[in-house]
Amino acid sequence: HFGLRDSMIVVLEPELLRWYPQPNGPADQVDAVAGLAEAVRIVNQKIGTIQRAFHLKRQQIAVAGYSAGAVLALQLLAASHQPFAAVVSCGGAILEPDKMPKAPT
């Protein structure tokens, strides 16, 4: 449905199996938000490596995540200057919804 043919799957696993420190509720997310920004930077670098290795454009890449990985997928979408083919968020959230940029028109 995303128009991705002959696809390969690349799985990125975070160090110590966590992308960022877990939030301590809606009123205490400072460490999680800071860690999420670093995770976005790292994953963007890895996506760039994959793009160069396989001669892909960002529009040919789908990102999916579950739980904290879904939070990261949504944040990657928000931080990207180029669109992905798709972003799938399974059980994720937006940690700072008031800072989420509006979708381009």
Side-chain angles (χ1 to χ4, degrees):
H1 294 285
F2 301 129
L4 301 172
R5 302 275 185 248
D6 300 320
S7 299
M8 71 176 168
I9 296 174
V10 177
V11 177
L12 301 178
E13 183 177 289
E15 189 174 329
L16 302 176
L17 300 177
R18 69 178 205 176
W19 289 112
Y20 53 85
Q22 184 174 6
N24 296 312
D28 185 3
Q29 299 185 36
V30 174
D31 291 341
V33 169
L36 181 57
E38 178 64 8
V40 166
R41 186 188 67 73
I42 290 168
V43 172
N44 263 323
Q45 285 179 342
K46 295 195 181 290
I47 289 172
T49 300
I50 293 164
Q51 284 181 262
R52 288 186 297 280
F54 296 99
H55 308 288
L56 298 171
K57 296 177 183 173
R58 195 158 280 221
Q59 298 92 323
Q60 296 173 289
I61 297 173
V63 177
Y66 171 74
S67 192
V71 172
L72 178 57
L74 291 170
Q75 202 62 39
L76 278 165
L77 172 66
S80 183
H81 298 293
Q82 301 165 335
F84 287 100
V87 174
V88 180
S89 171
C90 300
I94 298 171
L95 296 185
E96 294 183 307
D98 56 323
K99 294 184 180 175
M100 182 63 72
K102 293 184 190 267
T105 56

